[in-house]
Amino acid sequence: MKELIEKIKSFEIDVNFNTLGEFIKAIHIDSINYHAFINAPENIGDYGRNILTVDPFECILINWPAGVESAVHHHKGLFGYVWVLEGELDNVSYKFDNNKLLEYSIDRYERDGLTPEPDGIIHKLRNNSKTKRAITLHFYYPAIHSFEGMKIFNLENGQVGILSKQAKTANWSLNTGHFKEILENAFEFVSLKKT
Ligand SMILES: [Fe+2]
């Protein structure tokens, strides 16, 4: 892992979606010794994070216990990739259309699978396993210094939460001070099953 962090720190070319992807694809997965870097989640139902570096782009190791998922969130001015090191991770994608949030694809990634997170997407990541954890390495540019302004979607009640700078993760289990605003009945959720 130390070698990877050194490689990131010496990355000198322009960081964009393509150069970041090429950088990751050139690393051999067997060279990543991640076990000593896994953090337990701070709260039940959450994932554990270990920020390895933020410069020139962010690299975070994430530990997803069985059944854990992120909130549905919107990338605005932020892109990256998720590389699966262990277990399986689902990327569930949505699009916003006419006050409807439409679920339109679910892609599953196994070890060595690389999930793109282009700027502008609305998605969630989940470990759908009932028994096994997933370990993933995330690369983001620019580094996430603040979640301020990020929108998250609650599929159960149609709320959209706009995070404040106090928010430490993009998650619904935050206290009210972690939201700038919560919009009620902001959308109707249409799952893949209904379409
Ligand atoms: Fe994301």
Side-chain angles (χ1 to χ4, degrees):
M1 193 63 93
K2 287 202 176 95
E3 274 172 40
L4 173 67
I5 296 167
E6 287 312 311
K7 257 189 208 167
I8 294 172
K9 288 188 173 157
S10 55
F11 187 92
E12 279 176 341
I13 57 172
D14 182 43
V15 184
N16 60 45
F17 195 63
N18 291 328
T19 58
L20 184 56
E22 292 307 315
F23 173 84
I24 300 160
K25 286 173 201 158
I27 306 163
H28 200 286
I29 194 161
D30 292 335
S31 71
I32 309 287
N33 297 311
Y34 57 90
H35 287 88
F37 294 84
I38 295 171
N39 281 347
E42 283 177 23
N43 301 298
I44 291 171
D46 208 348
Y47 44 80
R49 301 184 311 150
N50 185 356
I51 299 173
L52 302 168
T53 183
V54 294
D55 187 33
F57 50 82
E58 185 159 357
C59 181
I60 321 168
L61 187 72
I62 296 193
N63 169 18
W64 306 81
V68 164
E69 61 181 38
S70 73
V72 176
H73 59 278
H74 177 216
H75 281 242
K76 198 171 159 197
L78 171 74
F79 62 83
Y81 292 88
V82 181
W83 195 17
V84 180
L85 302 180
E86 180 184 319
E88 292 179 345
L89 195 75
D90 291 349
N91 183 24
V92 186
S93 302
Y94 305 85
K95 58 187 153 207
F96 201 80
D97 185 23
N98 235 340
N99 279 353
K100 287 194 168 75
L101 189 70
L102 310 167
E103 184 180 65
Y104 70 91
S105 66
I106 303 174
D107 299 299
R108 180 159 291 176
Y109 295 82
E110 303 173 340
R111 177 170 158 87
D112 207 17
L114 191 62
T115 314
E117 293 185 72
D119 191 7
I121 59 164
I122 301 173
H123 78 138
K124 74 175 177 186
L125 297 169
R126 75 174 178 210
N127 176 6
N128 214 30
S129 169
K130 290 192 169 61
T131 53
K132 291 192 183 118
R133 72 180 183 190
I135 305 293
T136 52
L137 199 54
H138 298 236
F139 300 83
Y140 292 116
Y141 185 83
I144 306 166
H145 293 297
S146 165
F147 285 99
E148 187 177 12
M150 182 181 259
K151 278 187 188 167
I152 63 175
F153 299 79
N154 188 328
L155 304 185
E156 258 133 59
N157 62 15
Q159 286 180 332
V160 171
I162 301 166
L163 300 177
S164 70
K165 49 173 183 239
Q166 281 79 31
K168 296 279 177 283
T169 60
N171 198 320
W172 279 103
S173 63
L174 299 168
N175 66 46
T176 46
H178 290 178
F179 292 98
K180 259 185 176 170
E181 200 180 351
I182 293 178
L183 310 172
E184 304 289 342
N185 304 313
F187 65 92
E188 182 195 336
F189 172 53
V190 183
S191 87
L192 262 180
K193 288 173 212 138
K194 288 188 212 156
T195 54

